[in-house]
Amino acid sequence: MPSQPPAGPERQDVVPPGQRVTERWLASHYGKVPQIDGERWRLTLCGATADGGLTVVDRQMLEAMEFVEVPAALHCVDRHTVPALRWGGVRLADLVALAPPEPGAHHVLLAATRGYSSAVLLEDLLAPDSLLATHVDGEPLTREHGWPARIVLPHLYGFKGPKWAAEISYHHAPQRGYWEARGYHPRGRAALEERWEHQA
Ligand SMILES: Nc1nc2c(c(=O)[nH]1)N[C@H]1C(S)=C(S)[C@@H](COP(=O)(O)O)O[C@H]1N2
Ligand SMILES: [Mo]
């Protein structure tokens, strides 16, 4: 008799439709891996903020926040899924609470160093499993996988989560990041196979 899989927000046994599991975790990004000094790294929360200002977060501030771990696979829209990663970091909801958006600013652009960005909805950022990750499988992120910090949105395709995260900005209108400008889906939920803009 098959044993019951563990219940949880991101069940490790569920592979979204159209994905194949790969056991080797090869980094996937465009351009070179940036060499970022962790002590100098900063993340800026800006755009349509409730107080009209911007908030800058550094590593020390992150270390003072609650550290959580979330088990989640990584689903690349190109159809490979890296299973069973254990991400560690701070909840994006906790970061947003430090610098909340103006009422009605439901759109967010997530930007990395060197031009990469992705467009997401505020509600996807606020999901309980959404993290600014600094660790994976108990170790600090490697440079190629996003050190010092990357955005992890487990229910969305991987392209929604910039590695080498640098900025979170709030907007009243939908945004387009790197892949959204190239025909990929504005929402990007993996379970619903939201890959392409024409599906929206
Ligand atoms: N800065 C940056 N972040 C990025 C990308 C990128 O090209 N640049 N690629 C995205 C895509 S398409 C995926 S699938 C994941 C891959 O993460 P990995 O290289 O750790 O597997 O990173 C995402 N974050
Ligand atoms: Mo990807």
Side-chain angles (χ1 to χ4, degrees):
M1 203 198 260
S3 59
Q4 277 299 85
E10 175 77 8
R11 283 170 31 176
Q12 296 290 311
D13 58 317
V14 176
V15 178
Q19 295 295 112
R20 61 191 139 65
V21 172
T22 164
E23 291 303 330
R24 287 189 63 201
W25 189 19
L26 298 174
S28 112
H29 51 261
Y30 85 94
K32 284 190 185 160
V33 173
Q35 302 295 307
I36 301 171
D37 177 346
E39 294 308 311
R40 292 192 185 186
W41 171 88
R42 300 285 184 273
L43 176 85
T44 305
L45 294 137
C46 57
T49 55
D51 67 2
L54 53 82
T55 298
V56 180
V57 174
D58 62 15
R59 266 192 87 83
Q60 260 186 317
M61 289 169 75
L62 287 189
E63 282 162 15
M65 294 172 69
E66 186 191 354
F67 183 85
V68 296
E69 287 196 315
V70 168
L74 177 60
H75 312 297
C76 178
V77 74
D78 280 350
R79 299 185 182 278
H80 73 268
T81 283
V82 184
L85 296 165
R86 182 164 49 91
W87 300 103
V90 303
R91 283 192 196 92
L92 281 162
D94 291 347
L95 273 179
V96 169
L98 293 178
E102 229 170 42
H106 297 311
H107 299 277
V108 182
L109 191 70
L110 304 170
T113 52
R114 303 227 185 130
Y116 187 84
S117 59
S118 68
V120 300
L121 290 183
L122 182 64
E123 65 176 279
D124 288 320
L125 208 62
L126 297 179
D129 282 350
S130 294
L131 299 186
L132 180 69
T134 52
H135 289 70
V136 68
D137 294 337
E139 298 289 334
L141 291 170
T142 59
R143 290 190 187 278
E144 61 173 1
H145 289 299
W147 194 87
R150 72 184 284 169
I151 307 268
V152 175
L153 308 167
H155 62 299
L156 304 183
Y157 285 118
F159 76 93
K160 294 295 186 181
K163 303 193 277 191
W164 318 298
E167 191 180 282
I168 296 175
S169 62
Y170 308 121
H171 304 268
H172 288 274
Q175 301 296 299
R176 280 183 164 199
Y178 184 86
W179 287 115
E180 292 85 8
R182 288 162 175 79
Y184 285 86
H185 201 281
R187 188 87 192 260
R189 288 170 294 187
L192 300 179
E193 246 194 305
E194 293 174 332
R195 294 179 200 272
W196 305 104
E197 183 180 25
H198 64 72
Q199 298 173 279

